[in-house]
Amino acid sequence: MTMSSVPSRAKIVIIGGGVGGTSVAYHLAKYGERDVVLLDRSELTSGSTFHSAGLVGQLRADPTLTKMNMYSVELYRELQLTDTPPSWIECGSIKLASSPERMEEIRRQIGWAKTFGLDLHEISPKEAQEKFPLIEREGVVGACYMGSDGQVDPSQLAQAMAKAARQNGVKILANTRVLSITTKAGRVSEVVTDQGTIECEIVVNCGGIYAAEIGRMVDVRIPIVPMSHQYMITENFLPTGEAILPSLRDPDLLIYFRQEVGGLLMGGYERQSRPWLATREAFEEIPQDFNSKLLPDDWDRFEEIAINSQVRVPKMSELGIKSFINGPEGFTPDNEFCLGETSVGGFYVAAGFCAHGIAGAGGIGKVVAEWIIGNEPPMDLWHMDIRRFGDSYKSPAFTLDRVQENYERYYDIHYPLEERRSCRPHKQSPAYEWHKAHGAVFGEKSGWERVNFYETHVGDENLRPQGWAGKNWSPCVQVEHRATREAAGIFDESSFAKLRVSGERAAEFLNVVCANNVVKGVGRTTYTQALTTKGGIEADYTVTQVAEEEFLIITGTAFGNHDLQWLRKIQREHEFADVLITDLTSELAIFGIWGPQAREILTQITDQSLANEDFPFMTSQEITCAGKRVRATRITYVGELGWELSLPISDALVVWEALIAAGEPFGAKPCGYRAIESLRLEKGYVAWGVEVSTETTPAEAGLDFAVSKKKIDFIGRSAIIGAKPVTRKLAVITFDDITTVPLGNEPIRIAGKIVGRVKSGGQGYTIGKAIGNAYLPIEHLVEGSQVEVEFFGEWKTGTIGKSPLFDPQGIRIKA
Ligand SMILES: Cc1cc2nc3c(=O)[nH]c(=O)nc-3n(C[C@H](O)[C@H](O)[C@H](O)COP(=O)(O)OP(=O)(O)OC[C@H]3O[C@@H](n4cnc5c(N)ncnc54)[C@H](O)[C@@H]3O)c2cc1C
């Protein structure tokens, strides 16, 4: 690849010529974007791509990622038929279970695969050995096989996509280093390289391990850490001319294999991870000349993997080593990609591929190109969206600790309700010490330590769900659920994100962003969604008008940064520069008191009348509670009468203690987030990122009631008003045995045909049933009809219910 002169202008500049950058270029060109330049500081594929192992697996826990990987396979098959084939070999893959727990995981995954039409099926240890004769069967409990998985040559793949992109008009310039990026009015405007400056509208950071460094050029934090990742290739010993062996994973032994020419490539995820360059004190500084280079062999760390490989493939102990690869790869704090537009307009990222970038590259390029062209995510990409990372990740220590924890637990079985272990506690509520002293068991979300439940609330063990759902379950939750339904629950929701939107045009702005009319007068609270132009749900929150020109948005703990960035994007693109958007999350605490006794309890600590006529549902007032000014909002997420109190952090503990003291004689209990989950499921309240996302419309989610029929101008309106009737809807499925609890992703079958997959599930302690939510074709939404749901290989019967399952008339919330 020779160096050529950079153009002075291009619509889109891609930085990085690995599989990420070339795939984005390929897809942009495929979709008709011609004014695209791809730059690499060295040669194409000289980053992590050239030293990749090239295994391509498709099935993942996240349905979106599975769809993306399936698309990758389709693309690699297609490219294989061109005159620059990437050596795609559809050799299949085997996953071994070397423990009974892993076998359960495999059976669960076989269920997921059915919902995608993927050809994953269970095979016996003997069948696994027939397909991969080198394995030792001792200790193998079972296995599964997928014929459509494969392997590809990573450099050839990047070159094949680059060639096709070039043929479609993309200009590819090697040896052209980006030195800085200029922004204007919150958007990218220029890319400055060592070969000249390019004026542009969009920059796509496909910098792999260098992506964080490129992000720093525009003050955007991209929490990617280069980690050392190793594998070895044995000498050739396999007979030539025979079918290539399937790739093989034995996660219990932390290892993977694939055939490499006549030898075996073997790597794994060590228990002792090693970051390259990054420390807890400082971000990585990658040497200027680190391209086409590897790291020194780290045998000490590889020893565990090498020993395990000999356990599963005894032949490994006899084979000579042809090469040993230790290469850096960009890992994120949660092992998911970092994709999408950042806080700087037009500055996109597609990096942090966590050692599955070759499997993902096709899908990554497709969705990022679609995101750029459509100016919004084309599908539910929340788990990979750069906006999921809040301010905590500005800390090198927080990021590194999280990345290492993930890397080291990569091959572990991840049970539902599992909690992160690193960096805790990080952010705390003002009542944290109180919770701790009263037996709180904490969980963590977006760096916040939050009460899951209090271990002092001992409930009925007989309700423990069967199987996996029971692993991290607690009998305490049912006690808190019942206290809320029967007396009152007092909840600390201080981690919720709080955003203030103010200014002369704040009302006009919010009514453009929100699907509901949120400008109903001072003291009114509105539940609303913010939609994409296609009518998908980009955000879901409540808006309270606190003054003529001031609004308070309360949204989920994990969504603060995402929702803030969405508001700022609309502000930028719709010319609302005069509107002020402020993040108040760390300034305000929030407590919820809900239940039939909530009014009585709150009355003990305030002089304000809480009667319906003085304080109706969905209104908000500043009142005095326990001598402190608080904003009380009559709203609920659990389906009970009650108020949410927001107040300055400094006053919070006093009010919390007053609530607890006032509540005690009425049977109220402090409660945690797990009780909220059970209560909201029963009441049919949806959660963004769980039941609703950019892939679902309000009509599909049963949220039509929250869309204004009168407003004429809000984002997404033209896509949903007057749209064709929906063909699928969110359905609730109940299971009479409360211990039969779906976890999500289970296939749903009617008359022998797969019709959907479970989105969410839990227990409803008041209705005495287990609950699952799923989008189903409307012809199947017959209340009282039966469906089958597969739990770990076993089909169980559920019943389509009528949502909400609890208090359908909403009598309790308006009591
Ligand atoms: C040992 C190992 C084994 C792996 N095995 C697998 C596997 O089996 N299966 C799988 O799916 N994945 C695997 N991976 C992961 C996969 O290789 C990576 O995810 C993928 O190659 C990353 O591609 P990328 O395009 O993001 O980054 P890179 O390939 O690193 O490309 C980034 C490019 O950006 C360029 N760049 C950086 N800064 C600048 C600048 N300022 N100006 C211009 N250009 C710049 C660099 O020169 C580089 O070429 C493995 C990784 C490693 C390390």
Side-chain angles (χ1 to χ4, degrees):
M1 182 77 40
T2 51
M3 196 169 74
S4 51
S5 63
V6 302
S8 60
R9 223 206 91 77
K11 183 175 169 193
I12 303 171
V13 175
I14 299 167
I15 308 172
V19 282
T22 52
S23 183
V24 172
Y26 171 92
H27 287 91
L28 282 171
K30 183 173 167 183
Y31 299 143
E33 290 291 341
R34 296 286 176 264
D35 196 6
V36 180
V37 176
L38 183 150
L39 310 172
D40 200 289
R41 65 185 215 165
S42 180
E43 300 298 334
L44 292 190
T45 86
S46 61
S48 298
T49 297
F50 88 91
H51 51 67
S52 178
L55 278 82
V56 176
Q58 297 169 85
L59 187 70
R60 292 271 163 172
D62 177 12
T64 304
L65 185 51
T66 303
K67 288 179 203 163
M68 286 163 65
N69 291 346
M70 287 169 71
Y71 170 79
S72 291
V73 165
E74 262 174 51
L75 176 66
Y76 304 165
R77 277 181 196 143
E78 253 175 58
L79 291 171
Q80 188 60 20
L81 303 175
T82 64
D83 57 2
T84 42
S87 299
W88 166 247
I89 303 171
E90 210 154 309
C91 53
S93 74
I94 296 171
K95 184 168 170 182
L96 299 178
S98 294
S99 64
E101 295 79 15
R102 185 70 63 180
M103 198 57 223
E104 282 185 347
E105 183 188 53
I106 285 181
R107 296 213 169 102
R108 181 162 151 73
Q109 290 170 341
I110 290 172
W112 303 348
K114 287 180 189 153
T115 69
F116 298 98
L118 273 172
D119 60 330
L120 183 70
H121 58 269
E122 188 172 333
I123 56 173
S124 66
K126 188 164 168 284
E127 286 168 315
Q129 198 185 39
E130 278 159 20
K131 291 182 187 297
F132 199 108
L134 297 161
I135 61 171
E136 164 58 58
R137 264 159 54 193
E138 174 80 39
V140 178
V141 178
C144 64
Y145 175 73
M146 174 127 71
S148 57
D149 280 348
Q151 53 169 280
V152 72
D153 181 306
S155 293
Q156 288 176 8
L157 174 64
Q159 294 292 358
M161 294 191 288
K163 184 176 173 202
R166 216 181 282 114
Q167 282 168 345
N168 276 330
V170 174
K171 192 162 188 178
I172 297 185
L173 304 175
N175 300 307
T176 306
R177 183 183 299 259
V178 174
L179 302 174
S180 64
I181 300 165
T182 317
T183 60
K184 215 185 267 174
R187 282 197 66 89
V188 285
S189 58
E190 277 175 356
V191 169
V192 180
T193 80
D194 56 359
Q195 309 295 319
T197 297
I198 311 173
E199 196 192 316
C200 62
E201 292 164 31
I202 307 275
V203 174
V204 198
N205 174 358
C206 298
I209 55 164
Y210 319 80
E213 170 186 304
I214 296 168
R216 291 196 282 275
M217 293 178 185
V218 281
D219 205 17
V220 165
R221 172 75 182 124
I222 297 174
I224 291 175
V225 177
M227 299 289 289
S228 141
H229 190 59
Q230 312 189 86
Y231 64 83
M232 52 172 268
I233 299 173
T234 69
E235 62 190 343
N236 291 338
F237 68 100
L238 291 161
T240 49
E242 290 189 12
I244 296 285
L245 291 172
S247 49
L248 178 75
R249 292 178 182 81
D250 189 339
D252 292 315
L253 291 178
L254 312 173
I255 48 173
Y256 60 78
F257 292 87
R258 75 162 171 82
Q259 185 171 340
E260 166 70 17
V261 195
L264 286 178
L265 178 156
M266 188 280 294
Y269 286 82
E270 318 86 328
R271 287 281 175 212
Q272 285 169 300
S273 64
R274 181 154 302 164
W276 181 52
L277 302 170
T279 65
R280 299 189 79 247
E281 289 71 40
F283 299 131
E284 71 292 341
E285 277 191 39
I286 301 171
Q288 294 286 305
D289 62 351
F290 192 87
N291 277 94
S292 306
K293 288 187 179 169
L294 292 170
L295 307 178
D297 302 353
D298 191 350
W299 266 109
D300 285 352
R301 214 156 46 84
F302 199 69
E303 198 180 351
E304 182 186 5
I305 303 288
I307 293 170
N308 286 356
S309 77
Q310 293 169 16
V311 171
R312 189 52 62 225
V313 177
K315 180 83 182 164
M316 289 296 286
S317 58
E318 298 164 21
L319 297 169
I321 297 173
K322 194 161 75 181
S323 53
F324 189 86
I325 304 287
N326 182 3
E329 160 70 343
F331 277 81
T332 64
D334 57 7
N335 265 333
E336 303 281 1
F337 307 149
C338 243
L339 307 182
E341 194 177 22
T342 65
S343 54
V344 171
F347 184 64
Y348 283 78
V349 61
F353 299 161
C354 311
H356 50 285
I358 307 302
I364 290 165
K366 179 174 188 284
V367 299
V368 172
E370 287 171 353
W371 198 329
I372 292 167
I373 293 166
N375 197 27
E376 56 197 23
M379 55 202 298
D380 177 11
L381 288 159
W382 168 237
H383 290 135
M384 304 166 221
D385 192 325
I386 174 78
R387 294 171 294 180
R388 72 190 182 278
F389 296 117
D391 279 355
S392 302
Y393 292 97
K394 289 188 173 156
S395 147
F398 190 87
T399 311
L400 183 59
D401 289 353
R402 283 278 148 110
V403 166
Q404 287 201 258
E405 180 191 11
N406 254 305
Y407 186 99
E408 291 165 11
R409 301 182 62 201
Y410 184 84
Y411 268 153
D412 284 0
I413 297 173
H414 297 284
Y415 292 108
L417 303 177
E418 182 179 276
E419 294 287 350
R420 305 296 297 262
R421 297 175 193 162
S422 59
C423 319
R424 294 185 57 186
H426 182 60
K427 289 188 205 168
Q428 294 146 40
S429 147
Y432 172 76
E433 291 299 338
W434 187 96
H435 299 315
K436 217 167 126 186
H438 289 81
V441 174
F442 293 96
E444 183 268 357
K445 193 150 237 181
S446 292
W448 284 88
E449 208 65 15
R450 316 190 313 167
V451 179
N452 276 343
F453 51 84
Y454 296 85
E455 62 190 358
T456 43
H457 299 153
V458 182
D460 183 358
E461 255 299 323
N462 290 323
L463 302 190
R464 182 176 290 276
Q466 301 160 35
W468 279 30
K471 295 262 180 206
N472 293 313
W473 178 89
S474 165
C476 308
V477 178
Q478 56 186 281
V479 178
E480 297 174 12
H481 174 118
R482 292 212 168 92
T484 307
R485 290 273 186 257
E486 289 159 16
I490 303 171
F491 298 84
D492 184 348
E493 302 177 324
S494 299
S495 64
F496 276 5
K498 307 114 195 161
L499 306 172
R500 179 171 57 206
V501 180
S502 57
E504 219 174 294
R505 296 173 69 218
E508 185 192 343
F509 168 65
L510 281 176
N511 261 351
V512 168
V513 176
C514 300
N516 212 341
N517 172 25
V518 297
V519 188
K520 293 178 180 152
V522 176
R524 297 285 302 277
T525 298
T526 310
Y527 171 55
T528 187
Q529 282 75 48
L531 304 183
T532 65
T533 57
K534 291 193 213 87
I537 300 173
E538 179 72 47
D540 174 277
Y541 40 61
T542 60
V543 182
T544 296
Q545 186 165 8
V546 297
E548 276 309 322
E549 296 180 359
E550 188 180 333
F551 297 80
L552 181 64
I553 295 179
I554 309 278
T555 187
T557 308
F559 312 135
N561 189 49
H562 170 274
D563 293 358
L564 179 66
Q565 296 312 332
W566 182 253
L567 288 167
R568 293 216 163 117
K569 178 177 168 71
I570 306 299
Q571 176 186 35
R572 211 166 41 231
E573 295 178 0
H574 291 252
E575 293 173 1
F576 281 100
D578 49 335
V579 170
L580 193 64
I581 307 172
T582 324
D583 187 350
L584 302 180
T585 305
S586 55
E587 290 172 33
L588 296 178
I590 296 189
F591 302 138
I593 170 153
W594 291 304
Q597 298 294 338
R599 181 178 282 124
E600 286 303 318
I601 295 167
L602 205 50
T603 299
Q604 311 299 309
I605 58 168
T606 183
D607 293 335
Q608 170 68 41
S609 164
L610 303 173
N612 267 330
E613 54 279 19
D614 298 321
F615 212 140
F617 184 54
M618 298 307 276
T619 65
S620 179
Q621 298 179 34
E622 274 206 328
I623 64 171
T624 300
C625 271
K628 307 288 181 190
R629 290 302 279 171
V630 311
R631 167 159 295 282
T633 303
R634 189 164 163 199
I635 193 163
T636 176
Y637 194 43
V638 301
E640 296 292 340
L641 165 73
W643 283 263
E644 214 166 64
L645 310 177
S646 53
L647 66 164
I649 292 278
S650 53
D651 294 340
L653 185 59
V654 170
V655 173
W656 176 262
E657 287 181 329
L659 279 170
I660 296 290
E664 216 168 7
F666 293 88
K669 289 195 187 327
C671 303
Y673 274 87
R674 297 252 183 101
I676 296 186
E677 186 61 15
S678 153
L679 292 156
R680 72 119 193 144
L681 275 177
E682 243 179 20
K683 183 62 187 162
Y685 291 146
V686 297
W688 193 80
V690 183
E691 294 92 8
V692 297
S693 70
T694 46
E695 262 180 41
T696 54
T697 65
E700 289 171 332
L703 295 174
D704 272 336
F705 70 91
V707 175
S708 168
K709 308 292 174 295
K710 291 194 191 131
K711 279 199 313 176
I712 51 163
D713 189 19
F714 62 88
I715 293 164
R717 184 180 185 277
S718 56
I720 59 166
I721 303 283
K724 283 197 210 128
V726 296
T727 55
R728 58 166 199 165
K729 275 196 113 169
L730 187 61
V732 63
I733 302 167
T734 58
F735 300 87
D736 290 339
D737 178 355
I738 195 170
T739 69
T740 302
V741 182
L743 299 167
N745 281 344
E746 293 88 348
I748 302 169
R749 188 167 79 170
I750 295 178
K753 192 171 161 243
I754 306 287
V755 292
R757 76 174 67 89
V758 173
K759 273 266 177 197
S760 59
Q763 289 177 308
Y765 298 110
T766 308
I767 62 165
K769 291 179 180 179
I771 302 169
N773 285 308
Y775 284 90
L776 294 179
I778 45 164
E779 62 270 25
H780 296 307
L781 295 182
V782 183
E783 207 188 307
S785 66
Q786 299 204 317
V787 297
E788 288 179 293
V789 178
E790 197 193 55
F791 291 78
F792 299 87
E794 210 184 313
W795 291 95
K796 298 199 174 168
T797 304
T799 308
I800 305 261
K802 184 171 166 53
S803 185
L805 299 165
F806 175 74
D807 188 23
Q809 265 78 48
I811 292 164
R812 296 173 75 99
I813 55 179
K814 294 186 184 152

